[in-house]
Amino acid sequence: MGSTSSTLLKIPNVEVLMQETGFSPAHIIRLHDRFKALDKEGRGHLCPQDFGAIKELAMNPIGDRIIGAFFSPGKETVDFHTFVKILAHFRPVDKDRPKEPNSPEPINSRSNKLKFAFQLYDQDKDGKISRDELLKVLRSMLGMQVTEEQLESIADRTIQEADLDRDEAISFEEFRKSLEKVNIDHKMSIRFLR
Amino acid sequence: MYNFSQGFLVISTAMLEVDSAEVGLNYSLKSSAIENISTSTNDSTGGHGSSTITTLPIVIWKWHHVETPYLVALWILTCWLCKLVAELNHNITSVIPESGLLIMMGFILGGIVWGADKAQTFKLIPVNFFYYLLPQIVLDASYCMPNKLFFSNLGAILVHAVIGTCWNAGTVGIALWGCYEGGAMGNLNIGLLQFLLFGALMSAVDPVAVIAVFEEVHVNEVLYILVFGESLLNDGVTVVLYNVFDAFVSLGGPKINAAEIIKGIISFFVVSFGGSFLGVVFAVLISMLTRVTKNVQVIEAGFIIVLGYLSYLTAEMLSLSAILSITFCGVCCQKYITANMDEKSVTTLRYVLKVMANGSETMIFVFLGLSAIDQNIWVWNTGFILLTILFIVIFRFMGVFFLNWLLNQSRLIPIDLTDQFVMGYGGLRGAVAYGLAASLDEKKIPEKNLMLGTTLIVVYFTVILQGITMKPLVQWLKVKKATKSDLTLNGKMNNRVFEHVLTAMEDICGRMGDNWWTRHWNYFEDKYVCWLLMTSDARKHKDPIFGVFHKLNLEDAKKYVNEGESKGSLAFIRNYDNASVDFKKQLALEYADIMPDIMNDMSEYDFGIDNVPVTSVMKNPLPSVSLNVHELDRKSMLNDLSAHHLLDQHLYKSRRDNRPTYSRSHYNTSENPDEMQEIFQRTMRSRLESFKSAKMGVNPAKKLSKHPKKDSTHKPNGKPADPHRTHPYGDEDFEFSADSASSSEIAGHFPRRNTNAPGAGVDNPAFIPEMDMSPPMRNPPWQTETANNMAVAPSQTAQGRLPWTPTNLRHLAPLRMSTRSTDSFAMADASVDDEAPEEKSGSHHTRL
């Protein structure tokens, strides 16, 4: 217990962080250890290369997009706070915890989870998934056997499915609508972050 | 309504009495069965060889030859008729589950047999049950198991099936023993080991009734798969456990020491995992076999059934768990064989398995009821029976709640309390328990009949009572229902993205989560398993996103076809001006039409080339995009469909088609009067025209085509009075009357007639191109020298008709010489080729 509190003390503003993310001290400590392990040069922040060093992540077809999600636009580094906040998206929703009426929407709410997924597609941050953006994601996710033409037709079809205002792009609202029946809490949660 | 099946039974039992033979399903032991068969064969051979006959018998009564298979078939029929009766009224089946009804009918049937024989001559014996009735049920259940759901919940299922079953067996056995020692059951000759054995057989959960209820009310899929998967694996575990305890009982109490117990535990795991492993091996074999069965598609589905059965028997032979073997065989091979086999074979397999499984299930339940009507097995012991019921219910609930609590500690989505309660309540006992109880050895367990009777009562209690209350309970507790999810590309694609994101996050956190396993298995499967087990074709179409895309497109095509057909025909879109329609182009347009507006209501569509909404075509920059995927596939499908449709609707039926009903009373032409009318009119018109052009050199008057029938029959001054003509030449006389002018006339006339008379095939403009194409088709191949306009080779249809022509030729040759030397041979035959068969049917009609 002594080492726990001492590690916690080393992290600045840890109370605020726990408040915002809902993580327990044990989680924070575990993530902090991991953060330090990733930060090989001990600079106190991570850069894209540090993420790239994770072997499995390099194999992930949309790994670069996910790494990109950690970095807010224009920034080359991510500090521990941001790191934890991003991961907090994937904390399972707990029903037991009492909801405070005035508290802001928790990071792991449904719409925040969706927003995280949405921005993986929407690389130019214009609030819409265009056909090209969709095509890029599909191309990286589908195997070699699918031809370019098939890819395009799949992309077209996908857009048609979700596109309600017929502007040939998927807005966040449309994105949310198309996933209305999907249980996002289950699909975008990691068990050990509970 | 029962009379029918009862009648059967009385007949069969009466036959039995006559022959006073004990056959059929009433072998109480395997050995006696063999004995019986051998005696009956002796009888029959003796009857053949030794009996010296004095005179030649015309027919002989050979009951002994067919006795056994006959009775088996009769019983199958009887049981299935019971199911038929049970399903007659849906109001009843919605209250009492079908399995319960079947058991009750079994009571009735048993009563009849008892009344006839004064003994229960038929009962379910374990050998039949375990070798001929159970395997297909398990294979069907495992083959239809929702695969992904099963494997993602495999941990929880295994915990319930293995630990839960052991818990039930142990606690029920020990608790009963404790009560016995406490004096609750009077004086019985049962020891602790026997009680444990009884507990083991009592822990087999039979889900048939529960699953039926679950499917009806669509409970959430986690609950469904937990109950379904547990009950399936639980059967296997129960049998293993039973065998272990059985071995202990045979060994006898004093000889059991720590080493034996450890051996027993090892044996339990070896038998279970060995059986499962054997099943996986067979699954691999099946999958590999289906890679190469393309050429024997007819029996493709049979391979899976036979190999599945073999996996069961092989495991039995090696004393491994047969049920687990066939279970894992079915679960594992499902994905690969579905990808490898033809779609038709997959459907066939599903249906055949369903028929077999449902059939044996029905038989099992009927015989469960039937077996009760036998005074020999009933040994009543109130304490034992009531305590058994009490304990199985209590310990089932305790086990389920405790294990779920354990599981919930680590589950992302906890199993909630109502689900847990339903799981506990769903622990019905069924045929496996009875089968195991019936195979107890009376020498080792003196109180076998008490156990058997108790098992039956427990089965009735749970299946009927709990089965009836299950549905109200599920509704009352408001168990979470399954959410219906539509098949969408968005859903599928985002699922995939979510999976990738989760694995990436796990990597970043540096921990191995569930997704780690999933991903690595997927990677391994992609790289090695699929290469080994799937055909290269199947591998290509394996990608789920792509699969959904393909399925959606197929659905659209189906919808489209339905929509098209409701408006007449798929050929509506043909170009009127151009007879040689380019199907490819048309389809591209059709799909350009349908794809962008897929979210629209289908009824908004206006089909037809002129009405294709221009905007939608414009909006889609790649009109043929969706066509390019599986282009060949779909095109050939639609092509076929439209061609078949055309042919079915518009080809005249040949006389040959009508032969089966070729009798005066049945030759009913009214099934297509328009067609007959049309043929008749055409024939008459061509006759008249040719007649006129030949004799008078005048073109036929227009009105002739309007009322040709009247004209031809009433023609007053037309010298050739039809009767005279028809007489000498028979029904083929018209054939050589057509010349080139008239044949083109026909083609020219036809469309006009279409507009006059609305009929079956008349609405369809596609008819026109067909007619236009007919002149070249009329030239048989041997006339290629004379026919100068043979631009098109005779189509398949034309070639198919060729056999007609030679006979016509022979007929025609003398006639031509005698009557009409002016007509060219070639022309006469040209018209014959096309119209002969149809005219034959038409003229026949008139003659008859």
Side-chain angles (χ1 to χ4, degrees):
Chain A
M1 228 25 225
S3 69
T4 308
S5 51
S6 66
T7 325
L8 272 182
L9 286 177
K10 274 186 235 160
I11 307 164
N13 288 334
V14 72
E15 254 77 54
V16 181
L17 190 61
M18 274 162 55
Q19 179 75 34
E20 279 178 22
T21 59
F23 278 132
S24 68
H27 280 128
I28 298 277
I29 288 165
R30 196 178 292 142
L31 291 176
H32 194 246
D33 289 347
R34 180 66 182 167
F35 186 80
K36 277 196 292 190
L38 288 176
D39 180 20
K40 290 197 186 70
E41 292 158 28
R43 287 165 303 191
H45 55 77
L46 298 177
C47 50
Q49 288 78 21
D50 291 326
F51 285 103
I54 305 172
K55 203 174 86 241
E56 287 90 353
L57 202 54
M59 272 161 45
N60 199 316
I62 54 170
D64 49 342
R65 281 161 190 271
I66 294 165
I67 294 172
F70 277 88
F71 300 93
S72 45
K75 269 194 175 174
E76 285 298 304
T77 58
V78 53
D79 59 0
F80 181 62
H81 269 244
T82 326
F83 180 74
V84 173
K85 272 189 203 161
I86 299 283
L87 286 176
H89 282 104
F90 301 96
R91 199 168 60 83
V93 179
D94 35 13
K95 289 158 193 153
D96 311 338
R97 201 167 295 199
K99 246 192 181 167
E100 293 137 43
N102 299 333
S103 66
E105 202 181 359
I107 296 180
N108 61 354
S109 73
R110 180 187 161 89
S111 79
N112 276 335
K113 283 178 194 232
L114 277 176
K115 261 180 202 147
F116 185 87
F118 185 77
Q119 50 139 347
L120 290 180
Y121 294 96
D122 182 24
Q123 293 289 294
D124 60 3
K125 314 263 181 245
D126 65 346
K128 273 178 181 175
I129 304 174
S130 67
R131 184 168 175 270
D132 274 344
E133 284 168 340
L134 190 65
L135 211 50
K136 273 181 200 149
V137 177
L138 278 171
R139 196 175 294 138
S140 50
M141 283 200 312
L142 281 168
M144 284 285 114
Q145 299 98 343
V146 184
T147 66
E148 191 62 27
E149 278 181 336
Q150 291 170 337
L151 264 184
E152 284 180 7
S153 54
I154 291 178
D156 284 337
R157 172 107 205 206
T158 312
I159 289 187
Q160 283 152 19
E161 261 181 17
D163 189 15
L164 300 175
D165 56 4
R166 310 223 153 236
D167 62 347
E168 292 292 299
I170 303 175
S171 66
F172 180 66
E173 230 7 80
E174 288 163 351
F175 184 73
R176 194 218 296 265
K177 271 255 165 60
S178 74
L179 293 175
E180 214 158 32
K181 286 182 182 164
V182 181
N183 196 337
I184 300 295
D185 286 344
H186 295 178
K187 296 244 157 98
M188 287 281 275
S189 297
I190 299 178
R191 206 177 49 177
F192 60 70
L193 293 179
R194 185 149 73 126
Chain B
M1 279 316 296
Y2 296 100
N3 288 344
F4 193 42
S5 46
Q6 283 175 7
F8 262 108
L9 206 82
V10 170
I11 291 167
S12 56
T13 46
M15 282 173 171
L16 258 193
E17 281 175 341
V18 168
D19 296 284
S20 67
E22 289 178 11
V23 279
L25 297 156
N26 63 331
Y27 313 129
S28 46
L29 281 172
K30 205 179 181 180
S31 56
S32 84
I34 294 161
E35 210 174 281
N36 227 323
I37 286 169
S38 61
T39 52
S40 69
T41 44
N42 277 346
D43 279 358
S44 57
T45 47
H48 253 299
S50 61
S51 67
T52 46
I53 47 170
T54 50
T55 174
L56 191 77
I58 296 169
V59 284
I60 329 169
W61 176 256
K62 296 209 277 189
W63 167 244
H64 281 296
H65 277 270
V66 294
E67 199 167 287
T68 311
Y70 202 91
L71 280 175
V72 170
L74 264 186
W75 270 111
I76 293 176
L77 180 72
T78 314
C79 294
W80 289 6
L81 286 174
C82 284
K83 189 178 173 100
L84 186 75
V85 173
E87 288 290 336
L88 272 184
N89 194 339
H90 265 284
N91 294 334
I92 297 175
T93 38
S94 65
V95 179
I96 307 170
E98 191 196 271
S99 43
L101 276 178
L102 287 175
I103 288 182
M104 292 179 206
M105 287 194 191
F107 291 155
I108 299 166
L109 288 179
I112 297 163
V113 175
W114 181 261
D117 280 9
K118 301 284 175 259
Q120 193 48 269
T121 25
F122 300 96
K123 56 188 162 200
L124 188 61
I125 63 156
V127 177
N128 284 340
F129 173 69
F130 282 111
Y131 287 158
Y132 305 116
L133 293 175
L134 189 62
Q136 58 260 42
I137 296 180
V138 182
L139 185 62
D140 173 61
S142 59
Y143 180 75
C144 295
M145 179 83 73
N147 232 334
K148 204 180 166 196
L149 210 55
F150 177 75
F151 281 114
S152 56
N153 288 294
L154 187 62
I157 292 171
L158 277 179
V159 164
H160 277 290
V162 178
I163 302 177
T165 306
C166 294
W167 156 266
N168 278 341
T171 48
V172 169
I174 290 171
L176 280 176
W177 178 70
C179 292
Y180 168 66
E181 291 291 302
M185 308 170 191
N187 195 14
L188 288 175
N189 186 8
I190 308 183
L192 173 62
L193 281 175
Q194 279 95 331
F195 270 119
L196 282 174
L197 183 62
F198 180 67
L201 71 88
M202 282 291 14
S203 59
V205 173
D206 185 5
V208 176
V210 182
I211 291 297
V213 172
F214 280 6
E215 275 169 2
E216 201 177 322
V217 292
H218 297 290
V219 297
N220 64 77
E221 43 189 30
V222 175
L223 176 60
Y224 179 82
I225 201 71
L226 280 182
V227 172
F228 191 21
E230 183 215 338
S231 58
L232 199 56
L233 295 186
N234 152 286
D235 285 352
V237 175
T238 308
V239 176
V240 177
L241 209 58
Y242 173 87
N243 285 333
V244 171
F245 281 125
D246 196 39
F248 277 138
V249 170
S250 331
L251 208 60
K255 281 191 197 151
I256 295 173
N257 49 29
E260 297 296 335
I261 291 174
I262 289 170
K263 265 199 227 164
I265 294 171
I266 293 174
S267 152
F268 174 80
F269 284 106
V270 168
V271 169
S272 318
F273 286 104
S276 315
F277 179 74
L278 191 74
V280 176
V281 169
F282 265 89
V284 170
L285 277 181
I286 291 177
S287 311
M288 279 164 71
L289 190 69
T290 50
R291 281 182 61 160
V292 293
T293 48
K294 260 223 164 59
N295 298 330
V296 286
Q297 233 175 53
V298 189
I299 51 168
E300 212 170 24
F303 279 120
I304 286 104
I305 296 171
V306 170
L307 273 172
Y309 191 49
L310 273 180
S311 82
Y312 186 88
L313 293 181
T314 312
E316 192 69 42
M317 182 176 72
L318 300 174
S319 79
L320 301 174
S321 169
I323 298 178
L324 287 177
S325 171
I326 200 171
T327 303
F328 276 92
C329 178
V331 172
C332 294
C333 72
Q334 167 194 350
K335 179 176 172 186
Y336 307 106
I337 58 177
T338 311
N340 281 345
M341 287 198 311
D342 189 70
E343 215 166 300
K344 280 179 215 148
S345 306
V346 174
T347 319
T348 312
L349 180 61
R350 264 177 199 279
Y351 276 93
V352 170
L353 277 179
K354 276 271 172 282
V355 169
M356 286 167 58
N358 262 311
S360 23
E361 218 169 78
T362 311
M363 294 197 64
I364 286 171
F365 279 116
V366 171
F367 272 94
L368 270 182
L370 199 136
S371 307
I373 316 297
D374 183 2
Q375 66 186 22
N376 296 331
I377 65 164
W378 288 113
V379 178
W380 194 265
N381 184 323
T382 316
F384 186 78
I385 292 169
L386 287 183
L387 282 171
T388 306
I389 293 179
L390 182 72
F391 285 143
I392 62 159
V393 173
I394 287 180
F395 287 118
R396 165 88 187 170
F397 273 112
M398 280 170 67
V400 166
F401 280 119
F402 175 69
L403 291 175
N404 276 332
W405 176 79
L406 265 187
L407 288 169
N408 276 346
Q409 299 303 304
S410 59
R411 273 182 80 90
L412 178 61
I413 315 138
I415 305 161
D416 57 27
L417 214 62
T418 49
D419 282 6
Q420 294 183 29
F421 186 77
V422 172
M423 270 183 83
Y425 200 72
L428 311 188
R429 266 60 170 181
V432 175
Y434 173 77
L436 290 176
S439 50
L440 286 172
D441 187 355
E442 216 155 343
K443 281 175 217 140
K444 286 184 274 181
I445 296 137
E447 302 284 355
K448 178 192 171 183
N449 278 339
L450 174 62
M451 290 188 180
L452 190 60
T454 311
T455 311
L456 276 176
I457 289 182
V458 169
V459 170
Y460 301 149
F461 175 81
T462 53
V463 169
I464 298 178
L465 229 64
Q466 279 180 245
I468 290 173
T469 46
M470 192 76 207
K471 197 175 166 190
L473 187 78
V474 166
Q475 280 162 347
W476 181 64
L477 285 176
K478 296 196 178 62
V479 173
K480 247 190 297 170
K481 303 277 169 69
T483 47
K484 255 196 199 156
S485 61
D486 301 333
L487 189 70
T488 61
L489 271 178
N490 265 299
K492 200 76 194 173
M493 187 182 66
N494 283 311
N495 257 352
R496 190 64 83 76
V497 169
F498 295 157
E499 275 167 27
H500 284 309
V501 170
L502 287 192
T503 43
M505 289 304 159
E506 281 180 3
D507 292 336
I508 288 169
C509 294
R511 293 201 35 180
M512 269 167 40
D514 316 320
N515 296 295
W516 190 88
W517 288 105
T518 321
R519 187 191 39 179
H520 277 251
W521 163 250
N522 283 342
Y523 179 73
F524 176 74
E525 192 190 28
D526 267 355
K527 200 152 188 198
Y528 305 108
V529 180
C530 290
W531 171 81
L532 184 68
L533 300 183
M534 279 191 185
T535 56
S536 52
D537 271 3
R539 278 203 295 277
K540 235 173 239 170
H541 303 305
K542 187 174 65 76
D543 192 284
I545 296 185
F546 191 77
V548 171
F549 182 63
H550 178 56
K551 253 186 235 162
L552 283 171
N553 274 340
L554 271 184
E555 250 168 50
D556 290 344
K558 252 188 231 159
K559 242 191 224 167
Y560 174 61
V561 168
N562 287 340
E563 186 75 14
E565 284 184 342
S566 71
K567 299 199 174 185
S569 148
L570 265 189
F572 55 84
I573 207 155
R574 281 194 169 208
N575 198 332
Y576 291 179
D577 303 320
N578 189 1
S580 63
V581 179
D582 183 3
F583 252 104
K584 193 171 170 183
K585 230 193 280 168
Q586 297 296 341
L587 279 167
L589 271 166
E590 286 160 18
Y591 272 82
D593 178 8
I594 213 155
M595 293 306 289
D597 289 17
I598 197 64
M599 305 303 277
N600 282 4
D601 185 2
M602 289 301 286
S603 61
E604 282 175 26
Y605 283 109
D606 253 333
F607 289 96
I609 243 173
D610 301 331
N611 298 326
V612 171
V614 186
T615 49
S616 65
V617 177
M618 300 294 283
K619 232 195 259 174
N620 194 340
L622 292 148
S624 63
V625 273
S626 45
L627 250 193
N628 284 333
V629 190
H630 290 286
E631 185 176 30
L632 270 176
D633 215 295
R634 183 173 334 100
K635 208 189 312 160
S636 73
M637 185 191 96
L638 274 183
N639 236 333
D640 276 5
L641 235 160
S642 114
H644 277 287
H645 188 75
L646 263 179
L647 292 180
D648 274 356
Q649 287 228 309
H650 307 298
L651 264 190
Y652 296 141
K653 304 270 187 303
S654 75
R655 192 174 61 184
R656 211 186 303 172
D657 280 359
N658 286 323
R659 280 234 170 106
T661 55
Y662 189 62
S663 81
R664 213 167 217 292
S665 50
H666 286 246
Y667 190 58
N668 190 3
T669 53
S670 70
E671 67 174 3
N672 204 341
D674 286 336
E675 187 176 302
M676 290 306 174
Q677 185 82 2
E678 196 176 75
I679 295 170
F680 184 67
Q681 288 180 359
R682 241 208 286 184
T683 316
M684 283 311 176
R685 190 169 58 231
S686 77
R687 270 187 207 171
L688 280 167
E689 281 163 4
S690 69
F691 177 72
K692 287 206 167 178
S693 61
K695 295 282 170 181
M696 309 181 194
V698 195
N699 276 338
K702 277 281 181 275
K703 64 175 176 184
L704 281 186
S705 65
K706 268 186 185 167
H707 305 288
K709 190 179 173 185
K710 255 185 206 166
D711 287 346
S712 57
T713 45
H714 294 287
K715 196 121 187 154
N717 52 351
K719 52 195 110 153
D722 281 339
H724 290 299
R725 276 185 51 191
T726 38
H727 254 305
Y729 314 138
D731 53 349
E732 275 152 0
D733 82 312
F734 79 98
E735 284 155 357
F736 50 87
S737 64
D739 56 13
S740 62
S742 67
S743 75
S744 69
E745 273 289 338
I746 293 170
H749 270 294
F750 220 71
R752 254 177 280 153
R753 212 195 65 85
N754 277 343
T755 54
N756 288 348
V762 169
D763 277 344
N764 191 350
F767 201 72
I768 305 159
E770 196 199 31
M771 287 310 295
D772 287 346
M773 272 149 63
S774 52
M777 275 160 57
R778 284 176 189 175
N779 287 312
W782 57 85
Q783 290 193 340
T784 37
E785 294 142 33
T786 50
N788 46 4
N789 58 343
M790 267 298 269
V792 190
S795 74
Q796 275 202 333
T797 344
Q799 280 168 1
R801 284 186 194 166
L802 286 180
W804 284 89
T805 338
T807 56
N808 291 332
L809 269 176
R810 259 177 273 124
H811 280 294
L812 286 168
L815 291 171
R816 179 184 68 93
M817 308 249 264
S818 61
T819 54
R820 209 164 280 201
S821 47
T822 48
D823 273 344
S824 88
F825 195 88
M827 285 311 162
D829 208 63
S831 71
V832 163
D833 186 38
D834 193 36
E835 301 198 20
E838 298 132 21
E839 171 54 27
K840 273 189 176 174
S841 68
S843 57
H844 235 285
H845 161 54
T846 49
R847 258 204 313 182
L848 279 168

